[in-house]
Amino acid sequence: MSISETAKAPFERVVGEHGPLVWRVCRGMLDQHDAEDAWSETFLAAMGAWARFDGNVAGWLVTIAHRKAVDVLRARSRAAFPTAEPPEVVSTLGVPDGRDLDLWAALALLPTRQRAAVVHHHLAGLPFAEVAQLTGTTEPAARKAASDGVQRLRSLLAGKDIA
Amino acid sequence: MTTTAPFAVPDADPALLARLHARLEDAATGDAAPDVHYRTVDSPLGPLLVAATEQGVARLAFAIEDEDEVLESLATRIGPRVLRAPRRLDPAARWLDHFFAGDHGPYPGPVDLRLARGFRLAVLERLREVPFGRTISYAALAARTDAPRAVRAVGTACATNPVPLVVPCHRVVRSDGSTGAYRGGAEAKVRLLALERDGVLPASGGSAPRLL
């Protein structure tokens, strides 16, 4: 290959490598429908800026996805009759115990701060320093939010397939 | 990045990712269009990679060219916003299907020859005038250009044709009638010439090519 160090990879490779990561962030923060919108909007925005971008691709994509998600959540909370995120989604964990509360639905029951901390650290793999930067808080606060969020998830998912 | 979740995280299933990708393709038009969109097309000569800009088909690659390298080269030479968008290339895929079934028509859509420059571009423009079922020698093709003695340069222009089949460089043969080299492999060229002569593409590794 005669590609110089500065040459940009074809954007399709970015989609292939990071599509599942961006999905976890979008779906962790939003309901199924909004998450699908946010996923394609994230990659559309990233593709537009791809020629000029330089840095950590995964962190950059999570940042874009986070902002898209926060915009949607704000718009939802401004709505007169909030309809966001009822735990209506059929379980994808396949635990046939009659309960339909899966991870995504459980995440939707967390306060946004905890939800974002859990998603960005545990589902996207960002270090707490970056989670703090992304959510406009301190590293200890982000760590605490994630810890509280995980504890709450554990109780919500009690009896489910948790490690 | 891997997850470090202290609980089970469902994987994004392939069908979902395919649906999301299709939405991205649909949204990536107009001002948001990629520099290059591409797809692969199954053909009797193996999978073909077809890539286009907003101006038209800019690259066609045979399987003997490494797909990753072709895409990287497109990213470097045209632009890094390279997106797989099969449906946008349905017309090109249909034309290829018809071509391999013996349809004589030239590629009817727009062609973007930006990957060829100068004399090579001029050669490709002349080459587009050579119809299905006809052949032309490198020397005769040179004679149609401003540099009638540049036979070797004509050979180079054909060998580096970014859009084989669409610009039919397989129709250029040696003056002695032998087929000569081809970007898709010498055997592919023999089979293509047989397709245009007999109306049927012979199987790979079949009987001795009559043209040789």
Side-chain angles (χ1 to χ4, degrees):
Chain A
M1 288 186 218
S2 56
I3 305 295
S4 73
E5 286 295 307
T6 56
K8 272 283 158 55
F11 189 74
E12 183 64 36
R13 194 174 295 167
V14 175
V15 183
E17 270 176 31
H18 301 292
L21 164 74
V22 171
W23 174 250
R24 291 196 297 274
V25 173
C26 292
R27 187 63 184 92
M29 295 291 288
L30 299 168
D31 67 26
Q32 179 79 23
H33 176 81
D34 287 340
E36 293 193 14
D37 286 344
W39 188 95
S40 47
E41 283 171 18
T42 295
F43 278 109
L44 198 62
M47 186 165 70
W50 180 233
R52 300 180 302 281
F53 175 76
D54 191 22
N56 175 334
V57 177
W60 176 59
L61 290 170
V62 172
T63 303
I64 299 172
H66 170 78
R67 291 188 182 140
K68 300 277 179 205
V70 167
D71 285 349
V72 173
L73 291 173
R74 281 207 189 105
R76 289 270 182 267
S77 68
R78 275 199 300 269
F81 299 98
T83 57
E85 302 139 20
E88 63 187 357
V89 179
V90 176
S91 172
T92 54
L93 295 179
V95 183
D97 61 359
R99 299 175 55 183
D100 61 357
L101 192 65
D102 68 6
L103 175 64
W104 305 133
L107 278 165
L109 296 173
L110 301 185
T112 300
R113 181 179 293 264
Q114 289 180 13
R115 188 180 191 180
V118 170
V119 168
H120 299 333
H121 180 72
H122 291 295
L123 273 63
L126 290 193
F128 281 117
E130 286 178 40
V131 176
Q133 204 170 23
L134 202 51
T135 53
T137 183
T138 63
E139 189 177 331
R143 198 178 288 275
K144 173 80 161 58
S147 161
D148 290 349
V150 166
Q151 205 162 24
R152 180 85 196 283
L153 280 178
R154 282 187 193 283
S155 69
L156 285 167
L157 295 167
K160 291 278 188 178
D161 182 17
I162 56 174
Chain B
M1 265 187 224
T2 53
T3 64
T4 59
F7 37 77
V9 180
D11 284 331
D13 80 281
L16 169 71
L17 288 169
R19 188 167 80 244
L20 293 171
H21 197 288
R23 292 177 59 136
L24 174 61
E25 295 159 33
D26 289 345
T29 57
D31 288 345
D35 299 312
V36 177
H37 51 278
Y38 74 94
R39 67 171 287 170
T40 53
V41 179
D42 285 330
S43 87
L45 298 181
L48 306 173
L49 186 147
V50 186
T53 66
E54 293 301 288
Q55 278 74 53
V57 172
R59 187 76 167 86
L60 191 150
F62 292 97
I64 58 172
E65 295 188 75
D66 181 75
E67 179 173 321
D68 286 342
E69 283 182 34
V70 171
L71 295 177
E72 270 169 22
S73 160
L74 290 169
T76 304
R77 296 181 66 188
I78 296 179
R81 296 177 303 173
V82 177
L83 189 69
R84 184 167 49 75
R87 281 173 298 172
R88 295 195 58 188
L89 284 157
D90 278 350
R94 269 196 301 276
W95 176 78
L96 285 164
D97 285 346
H98 291 157
F99 171 82
F100 283 109
D103 193 315
H104 290 211
Y107 179 66
V111 180
D112 181 350
L113 289 177
R114 75 174 75 187
L115 293 176
R117 299 251 158 86
F119 183 67
R120 293 180 189 180
L121 176 59
V123 170
L124 298 181
E125 296 287 6
R126 295 286 79 75
L127 191 44
R128 294 179 76 180
E129 299 158 5
V130 180
F132 190 102
R134 302 282 284 276
T135 59
I136 187 170
S137 70
Y138 291 98
L141 184 56
R144 290 192 182 188
T145 70
D146 295 336
R149 289 144 77 96
V151 179
R152 283 182 70 90
V154 164
T156 305
C158 292
T160 56
N161 174 13
V163 281
L165 303 179
V166 170
V167 172
C169 57
H170 60 278
R171 290 173 196 153
V172 188
V173 297
R174 291 184 182 142
S175 297
D176 64 7
S178 65
T179 52
Y182 188 54
R183 203 165 187 175
E187 192 207 358
K189 186 170 183 177
V190 171
R191 293 172 68 200
L192 286 167
L193 290 169
L195 163 70
E196 300 202 359
R197 188 185 59 235
D198 306 332
V200 181
L201 188 85
S204 176
S207 56
R210 276 185 273 163
L211 278 167
L212 285 180

